[in-house]
Amino acid sequence: MAQRFAGIVFVKIDGTMQNAKGNFSVGMGFPMREGIKGSDDRLHGFKETPQVAHIEGEISNTADLNIEALSRVEDSTVTVEINNGKVYALRNAFITNGEGLVVNSEEANIPVRFEGSRCEEIR
């Protein structure tokens, strides 16, 4: 039997539901590995580069959204719950949008990216 496991997402900042609009992605912050090959054309091993845990996607610019407050998010917990029941929590999160928060009028969406100290699957 086919089971729904994708498509619907719930996003919260410190327990407050956000109006999730776009596709959300979760970066767990695991190290990135890259192979090291020698001049003898053999694989010698690999190196690991630390990665920052993150959650990013788009939220709707509704009438009750306080964009200034959103721009000041820091030391927060951001959670994402996806349709298969899994919940990811980003701890000590802060908003990192490099260009500041950009409000798009055509779709009333705001791209957001949160980075934090660690991300864990809590369910």
Side-chain angles (χ1 to χ4, degrees):
M1 178 171 117
Q3 183 177 2
R4 183 173 60 184
F5 64 93
I8 297 174
V9 64
F10 299 100
V11 178
K12 296 179 183 176
I13 301 173
D14 292 330
T16 301
M17 184 74 77
Q18 303 299 306
N19 292 303
K21 181 166 182 122
N23 183 34
F24 272 79
S25 61
V26 177
M28 299 297 290
F30 300 134
M32 179 178 68
R33 290 182 176 170
E34 181 180 354
I36 298 174
K37 199 167 187 179
S39 58
D40 58 2
D41 200 30
R42 294 185 305 144
L43 181 66
H44 291 191
F46 62 89
K47 67 177 182 178
E48 286 188 339
T49 306
Q51 301 298 303
V52 175
H54 70 275
I55 291 175
E56 66 180 316
E58 295 179 346
I59 60 174
S60 292
N61 185 19
T62 58
D64 61 339
L65 178 66
N66 184 332
I67 296 174
E68 186 176 337
L70 181 62
S71 75
R72 292 191 309 263
V73 169
E74 61 181 48
D75 199 26
S76 294
T77 298
V78 178
T79 57
V80 172
E81 180 178 348
I82 56 178
N83 211 26
N84 65 3
K86 290 188 176 187
V87 178
Y88 299 93
L90 181 64
R91 309 289 185 190
N92 308 110
F94 51 92
I95 196 158
T96 63
N97 294 63
E99 300 176 6
L101 293 174
V102 177
V103 178
N104 298 307
S105 63
E106 186 172 335
E107 294 291 327
N109 62 312
I110 301 172
V112 292
R113 180 179 171 99
F114 301 95
E115 295 181 354
S117 62
R118 70 184 195 284
C119 189
E120 58 189 340
E121 184 178 311
I122 58 175
R123 192 164 34 137

